[in-house]
Structure formats: C-alpha cells, structure tokens
Amino acid sequence: MSRRTVASHTAAVGAAFGVLATGTFAAVTSGGTAGAVADAAETGPATMATTLAANEAVLPAADTVSSAAHVTPAAFGVDDLDAGEDFDLSALDKAGKIADAIAQKQAEEAAAQAEEDRLNAVIAKGGLDGWIAEALRICDLPQDLAPSVKKVIMAESGGNPKAVNNWDANALRGTPSQGLMQTIPSTFRKFVHPSLAGRPITDPVANITAGVRYMVATYGLSTLEAGGRSNHAGDYIGY
C-alpha cells in the first residue's frame, strides 16, 4: 500500500469517528471536519497541515473551565467526627445500661430463688417456725412478720396447737379459744384462709391464718407488726 493511500485511509477512519490524530494526542472535531479531512487527504501533506490547523480544537484555559466540571471531594470536619464519636459513646452507654439491668434482674431472681428454697426448707422441717412460714405465704404476707406472729403465739398458747382456754369469758359462754392463736370457733370460720376452710380449728397453719387475718382486719397491719397490742408499760394484752 502506498504512503498516500495509508494517509488517506487513516484520515478517512478518523473522520468517520470525528477524531483527528495530531501528533501525540487525538483532537475531537466538529461534524464538518470529516469532509475537510477527506479533501485534505487528496491534496497532499501541505494541504493536510493547513486543513488540520484550520479545524483543530483549542482547549480552554484552566481558569475558564466551569467548576461543574470538577468533582469536589467530601470534607469531614471536626464536628462531624465528634458527632460520630458521641454516637458511639451513646451506643456503648446504652449497651452498658442494658447489661447492668440484665445482671440486676438475674441477681434479684437468684435472691428470690434462694429465699424460696430457704422457706421451703423451713416449712418442710415443720414445727412452729415452719407453720408460721407456711401461713404467711398462704396469706401473701411478708416473711419478716414471722417474729411478730411468733410473739403473739407464744403469749397466747405457748406454741401448743392443741391449747384450749377453759377459764376466760369466751369459755364461760361455751366458745373457748383454741389453737396457736387462741381463736374462738366463729372467728376461726370467718377469718381462716379460704384455701384451708376445711381444716379443724386446731390445725396449726389454718389457726395462724385465721388469727393473723382477724388481727389485720380489726386492728391493722401495724398491730401485727408490733406483735399484738400492748399497754402503756409495754406488756402484751392480746389482740
């Protein structure tokens, strides 16, 4: 292939794509360049140079390029970093509080279970402490009332569930006080816990529930907490 033919072919291909090879770079030209290049290819190297000079695209100066042509990198200020740090610290603090709440709940559940186990052991052992513990649990009253209830029981019956009073006014009327808390039959039937209503008046647990419920209903919880009524000298006078 002759030199002229190669030049003509190259110019024609460049014109087809709207691109002219000008030394070491390619210049994008307008649509009209294709025809001019084709003519220049037929007129020789001198005419080609003239045509290229007439149709070359001049790149704009740097200071005239629109700012829209540039991509501005995102800038992160100190405030942004601080906000992120605060968010992380807030999240950590929230997680810490949740962990503390879970740990506290687990500790409370463990303590409750330990108290339940202790109470079950006391009840299983039986005796006065066991009867009081069971009666308080049935009545849904705090176990810390046990010492006060025991004080009343010891003053009323000496801890004997079969005790019967045959000498007071109730006995004279034919309704003697009976059991640990020394209740009369009518009081027992009215105040015994419903779940134990079928038990006899001398049943230890049933008798305690009747006496406790009567005391709270008649004198208030404070009297039960005090271990019964007392005179001005602090001596027990019943309930």
Side-chain angles (χ1 to χ4, degrees):
M1 182 181 293
S2 66
R3 180 176 181 181
R4 182 180 177 207
T5 302
V6 172
S8 299
H9 180 70
T10 302
V13 172
F17 288 92
V19 179
L20 290 178
T22 58
T24 60
F25 68 95
V28 180
T29 65
S30 64
T33 305
V37 171
D39 293 340
E42 296 297 329
T43 57
T47 306
M48 172 70 79
T50 303
T51 302
L52 290 175
N55 290 278
E56 66 181 354
V58 179
L59 295 177
D63 57 355
T64 62
V65 178
S66 172
S67 60
H70 296 275
V71 177
T72 303
F76 295 94
V78 175
D79 291 341
D80 296 326
L81 295 178
D82 290 343
E85 183 178 355
D86 289 343
F87 174 78
D88 291 341
L89 291 176
S90 177
L92 289 174
D93 184 54
K94 183 177 181 181
K97 289 181 178 178
I98 292 174
D100 290 343
I102 293 174
Q104 182 177 354
K105 183 178 180 180
Q106 291 175 337
E108 291 173 351
E109 291 175 348
Q113 185 59 52
E115 174 59 19
E116 184 69 14
D117 293 342
R118 184 197 69 80
L119 187 59
N120 288 336
V122 171
I123 293 173
K125 186 177 180 180
L128 185 55
D129 290 337
W131 299 331
I132 294 172
E134 186 175 359
L136 289 174
R137 183 164 69 179
I138 291 172
C139 292
D140 197 25
L141 289 170
Q143 289 295 321
D144 58 9
L145 290 172
S148 298
V149 175
K150 190 171 185 177
K151 177 183 177 181
V152 174
I153 289 174
M154 295 308 293
E156 293 287 341
S157 65
N160 179 8
K162 303 296 184 181
V164 178
N165 186 321
N166 292 315
W167 55 267
D168 65 1
N170 289 321
L172 294 176
R173 288 193 295 266
T175 57
S177 301
Q178 304 174 56
L180 289 174
M181 298 281 284
Q182 290 292 285
T183 61
I184 61 175
S186 60
T187 300
F188 175 80
R189 288 191 298 269
K190 182 177 180 179
F191 289 97
V192 67
H193 194 275
S195 65
L196 306 178
R199 297 189 183 187
I201 191 171
T202 54
D203 178 273
V205 178
N207 192 274
I208 293 172
T209 66
V212 165
R213 283 158 57 87
Y214 167 78
M215 190 183 302
V216 173
T218 306
Y219 303 105
L221 184 61
S222 60
T223 299
L224 177 60
E225 293 172 336
R229 295 185 300 154
S230 301
N231 59 24
H232 65 281
D235 298 327
Y236 178 83
I237 60 174
Y239 69 98

